Amino acid sequence: MSISDHLPEHIRELTERYAGETVALRRHLHQYPELSFEEHETAAFICERLDELGIPYQSGVAGTGVIAELQGDADAAPGAGKAGAAKVVALRADIDALPIQEPAGLPFCSQRPGVMHACGHDIHSAALLGAGHILQTLRTQFAGTVRLLFQPAEERIPGGALGMIQAGALRNPSVSSVIGEHVNPDLPVGKVAFHSGFFMASVDDVYITVRGRGGHAAKPHQNIDPVIISAHLLSSLQQIVSRSADPLVPSVLSFGRVIADGAHNVIPNEVRIEGTFRTTDDTWRYEAHEQIRRIASSTATSMGGEADVEIRVGYPSVVNEPGLTERLRCAAVEYLGQDQVVDTPPAMWAEDFAYYGREAPACFYNLGVGTPGVDNAPVHSPSFQAEESCIALASGLLSYLALTELS
Ligand code: NI
């Protein structure tokens, strides 16, 4: 296909024309959030919209996922090239929400107690539907296929991406690239940020049960105190990141939950500890798991207790394919302007988008949703909010990126 010089302008016009409906889609999704792997109404809503747009899809993928297929029809446009005819570009949005109570205030506040779109997946989904509308309108102007992946359960291990891939999301025919985005409240609305290469960490959940022998706090010599064992263990485990990890390989071991359910005068029988291990190197990742097990066990044994360690292996690291990332960055500059496209450093967040990158060239970028000049609340916070103008921008940008990749 030949991407006309007017394409960015044309897409911006469509974006503006559809902005009202895209925002309405987001507000509906925001009002009716659903937790990971329970996104039945969300999926039904997405399918209803795809029906209205006349875009064919398959639902029930990996449980509650939806895969839509948008076929370019450049035959109808004489003069349009066929270069992209065999190509398939996948655009991915995650659709699940979080177990967070949204405070009252927004006119389209969550109607489901204890569930909130606090990670912006409502924005990702609405923007992808918006891109579907734009691309459907433009379908006589491109050849090739844009596959829309509405993926369930990004927030909960094992995630929905693996199931989507196993169900064939990237095959028949195979995709040439996968593009995904995530809202970032630290980035002002209007801007997007890219990073080539390693972008996000692998993540594994660590669960440790320290067993001792509880009893009266006044007679510690007759008990085996799992609280003191846990205190030693938490300190000892930090030598994994400070002494065992290669200083040039980022590693994080954080424990956010320590439950010693005794009392001021009762030593409990056991302590439950929960944490997260994140790194960027796969070999070191599994070595570190062994070290966590060994140190926990030997520390507890040396003090007369026991430690059971369970490590739930989560997502691999997100690596943005350099060639694709560079092409998308250039396309974003064409669409948004030089000043609006920035570089962002990698971080120890995690994302199951990582799995797509293991199968095909993939790029995950950040979408600015922050109010300029304000200390914006982070994602996963009940105070998280987004500037809604990001949605139209995101749907236009996704469309443009897909079409440049097909060209
Ligand atoms: Ni998220």
Side-chain angles (χ1 to χ4, degrees), residues 94 119 121 124 154-155 182 351 380:
D94 42 11
C119 200
H121 299 187
H124 306 159
E154 188 282 321
E155 299 286 1
H182 204 290
E351 245 291 342
H380 290 219

Side-chain angles (χ1 to χ4, degrees), residues 12-305:
R12 279 193 286 270
E13 275 168 27
L14 291 175
T15 297
E16 262 170 54
R17 198 188 304 166
Y18 303 154
E21 81 180 36
T22 322
V23 166
L25 294 171
R26 184 265 170 147
R27 290 185 172 200
H28 178 95
L29 292 167
H30 194 87
Q31 277 189 292
Y32 302 101
E34 293 173 299
L35 295 174
S36 307
F37 292 116
E38 296 172 14
E39 309 93 332
H40 300 283
E41 286 179 33
T42 304
F45 180 74
I46 289 166
C47 292
E48 206 176 291
R49 182 66 193 135
L50 291 168
D51 280 332
E52 285 166 11
L53 293 172
I55 301 173
Y57 60 85
Q58 181 193 349
S59 60
V61 184
T64 41
V66 179
I67 299 178
E69 196 105 326
L70 221 148
Q71 201 78 49
D73 188 18
D75 281 349
K82 299 283 192 302
K87 272 194 179 175
V88 182
V89 173
L91 305 177
R92 175 270 206 173
D94 42 11
I95 64 173
D96 55 330
L98 285 162
I100 290 176
Q101 176 66 43
E102 180 166 11
L106 281 182
F108 53 92
C109 180
S110 171
Q111 299 298 303
R112 301 223 158 98
V115 188
M116 176 187 175
H117 267 297
C119 200
H121 299 187
D122 52 339
I123 291 170
H124 306 159
S125 302
L128 190 55
L129 284 169
H133 195 179
I134 292 168
L135 292 165
Q136 181 72 331
T137 308
L138 294 175
R139 72 188 176 284
T140 55
Q141 297 183 35
F142 69 92
T145 304
V146 182
R147 197 172 287 162
L148 312 179
L149 309 180
F150 295 92
Q151 179 216 297
E154 188 282 321
E155 299 286 1
R156 215 177 79 199
I157 288 173
L162 260 188
M164 295 280 284
I165 293 168
Q166 281 157 4
L170 306 184
R171 294 196 308 268
N172 300 321
S174 293
V175 301
S176 57
S177 51
V178 189
I179 303 168
E181 64 178 347
H182 204 290
V183 298
N184 180 353
D186 291 334
L187 193 64
V189 67
K191 291 189 188 292
V192 293
F194 288 86
H195 185 85
S196 184
F198 164 73
F199 189 41
M200 289 185 184
S202 62
V203 61
D204 305 306
D205 298 347
V206 181
Y207 297 86
I208 304 174
T209 305
V210 178
R211 294 203 175 79
R213 190 174 59 236
H216 202 296
K219 294 209 152 195
H221 57 296
Q222 293 180 355
N223 307 319
I224 295 169
D225 186 348
V227 179
I228 296 298
I229 295 174
S230 299
H232 279 267
L233 195 151
L234 288 168
S235 302
S236 305
L237 286 173
Q238 287 309 317
Q239 42 176 301
I240 293 172
V241 288
S242 69
R243 303 291 81 186
S244 302
D246 182 330
L248 299 180
V249 175
S251 300
V252 168
L253 180 60
S254 296
F255 292 97
R257 195 159 199 232
V258 180
I259 302 171
D261 202 12
H264 70 280
N265 55 0
V266 177
I267 292 172
N269 278 318
E270 63 174 45
V271 173
R272 291 271 300 152
I273 300 171
E274 296 180 13
T276 182
F277 177 70
R278 293 162 188 243
T279 187
T280 62
D281 180 282
D282 260 358
T283 308
W284 160 239
R285 180 186 185 189
Y286 292 100
E287 274 172 34
H289 292 181
E290 283 318 303
Q291 292 201 20
I292 292 170
R293 288 194 183 92
R294 200 183 67 236
I295 291 175
S297 170
S298 60
T299 306
T301 311
S302 73
M303 298 175 76

Side-chain angles (χ1 to χ4, degrees), residues 380-399:
H380 290 219
S381 150
S383 311
F384 168 72
Q385 287 199 24
E387 283 292 329
E388 277 188 323
S389 58
C390 73
I391 305 167
L393 181 147
S395 58
L397 180 62
L398 281 170
S399 308

